[in-house]
Amino acid sequence: MSAWTKRALLALLPGTALAQQVAIPPEFAALPGQPVAALAMHPAVGPRLRVMSAGRQRQLSDALRGEGPPLAWHGGWLSSWARLGENRAFLAYDPHSEQVAVMLWVGNGNSLSVPPLRSPWPEGLREGMRGFNPQLEAQMRWE
């Protein structure tokens, strides 16, 4: 059995240290199932998102209010995406490390990416990214 398989099994067992590590903190427990805009408005994310989006606040804000799948918990990250017109936005937050990941596509081009698009992205974001841009998932580096 590989180390990754053991880790996945441990994460499923209640009461294990790893299961407790990936548990949703109470202040985020109501977010899964809501639109991604709910994560963008959360006090732990919203102020940081404004700074990260620099001159793209309006485009990012509009895209996050568009249509998309509900927020879901994958690999320790709350994530989802939304689309409005030609703008698409992906947003994720890891409450344990307090990291934010955001990506904005305007038309067919990447307008904003934190972490940078060419940098390795956390493996926990892969599942949430799938519907956002299927071609992009294969091109990205995952850690």
Side-chain angles (χ1 to χ4, degrees):
M1 182 180 304
S2 77
W4 287 106
T5 305
K6 287 179 188 175
R7 186 177 172 113
L9 289 174
L10 284 174
L12 297 175
L13 296 173
T16 64
L18 187 57
Q20 292 167 358
Q21 255 183 353
V22 295
I24 300 174
E27 64 268 24
F28 294 94
L31 290 178
Q34 292 190 37
V36 70
L39 180 59
M41 291 185 276
H42 192 279
V45 179
R48 295 174 64 195
L49 194 56
R50 280 191 280 285
V51 173
M52 294 167 80
S53 61
R56 298 169 191 87
Q57 283 181 330
R58 180 67 177 182
Q59 288 175 314
L60 182 60
S61 176
D62 288 349
L64 288 171
R65 287 185 176 91
E67 292 186 26
L71 283 165
W73 184 253
H74 300 287
W77 291 80
L78 276 168
S79 66
S80 189
W81 55 271
R83 171 185 293 205
L84 184 65
E86 291 190 1
N87 296 345
R88 290 175 286 167
F90 173 82
L91 179 60
Y93 182 69
D94 176 350
H96 298 288
S97 67
E98 298 183 356
Q99 289 182 297
V100 175
V102 62
M103 189 176 289
L104 173 66
W105 281 69
V106 176
N108 290 325
N110 182 0
S111 179
L112 172 68
S113 181
V114 177
L117 189 57
R118 301 288 181 217
S119 296
W121 277 55
E123 182 67 35
L125 296 176
R126 185 188 295 253
E127 183 70 28
M129 177 81 59
R130 282 214 169 104
F132 174 69
N133 189 335
Q135 298 83 15
L136 184 61
E137 180 199 354
Q139 298 169 8
M140 291 180 71
R141 293 184 334 158
W142 301 96
E143 57 179 20

